[in-house]
Amino acid sequence: MTDTPPLAEGYEISTEADRIDAERVHRWLSTDAYWAMGREREKQDRAIEGSLNFGVYEMVSGEQVAYARVVTDRATFAWLCDVYVDRSVRGKGIGTALVGAVREQVRSYGVKRMLLATHDAHGVYEKHGFAPLEKPDQWMALYF
């Protein structure tokens, strides 16, 4: 696991819920994220409301350029999901810095394990210590 690199100059990370651009997040996820294609706006708004949200913002304009959320009780469980970086700023290390900020915030709660699922971003998460499940046979899922 590497230390979290600093966020690219001119950007900041915030967990302030009132800064989340819910319309933009919904557009990103429902039209460009394989795991959330077609997600309804009302469902996305409920997800935001029930989660610990992280946004990355351009410092000058205040425009949101990335998003992540964590479903957590802030004590024993955390699930990282809906990590998205706007295509216009990819390649600047914003996603890596965002995941590092999430990791540190969740760690501060004393949570011992954070889960996530990804098809294509293993390298980003491995930089922060994420690894395949050691005992996948102990995990189950209920699909609706």
Side-chain angles (χ1 to χ4, degrees):
M1 178 173 59
T2 62
D3 291 329
T4 301
L7 188 59
E9 187 173 335
Y11 296 93
E12 63 182 342
I13 297 174
S14 174
T15 58
E16 295 175 37
D18 61 345
R19 291 187 70 183
I20 298 297
D21 184 339
E23 181 179 334
R24 177 173 290 201
V25 169
H26 175 257
R27 184 176 63 250
W28 283 336
L29 297 177
S30 68
T31 65
D32 194 40
Y34 65 83
W35 65 90
M37 295 296 286
R39 185 182 289 169
E40 296 175 4
R41 172 67 192 269
E42 184 271 334
K43 183 174 279 195
Q44 183 61 50
D45 288 346
R46 283 195 340 248
I48 289 171
E49 184 178 314
S51 300
L52 171 61
N53 298 279
F54 293 77
V56 179
Y57 305 89
E58 289 184 352
M59 292 175 72
V60 174
S61 69
E63 180 181 11
Q64 186 171 353
V65 299
Y67 175 75
R69 70 185 181 92
V70 179
V71 179
T72 183
D73 59 9
R74 294 184 168 117
T76 63
F77 175 80
W79 174 46
L80 173 58
C81 51
D82 288 346
V83 179
Y84 188 91
V85 177
D86 188 271
R87 289 183 177 274
S88 68
V89 298
R90 290 183 185 171
K92 295 182 177 184
I94 289 172
T96 300
L98 175 58
V99 172
V102 168
R103 179 194 69 204
E104 293 309 309
Q105 183 73 34
V106 170
R107 181 184 288 169
S108 77
Y109 301 140
V111 172
K112 299 295 183 197
R113 178 183 305 123
M114 180 166 39
L115 302 176
L116 67 83
T118 184
H119 285 268
D120 59 357
H122 295 81
V124 171
Y125 300 109
E126 287 169 347
K127 292 176 186 175
H128 296 290
F130 284 91
L133 293 173
E134 289 180 13
K135 298 178 182 179
D137 58 314
Q138 293 182 0
W139 294 86
M140 298 179 72
L142 175 62
Y143 298 96
F144 296 100

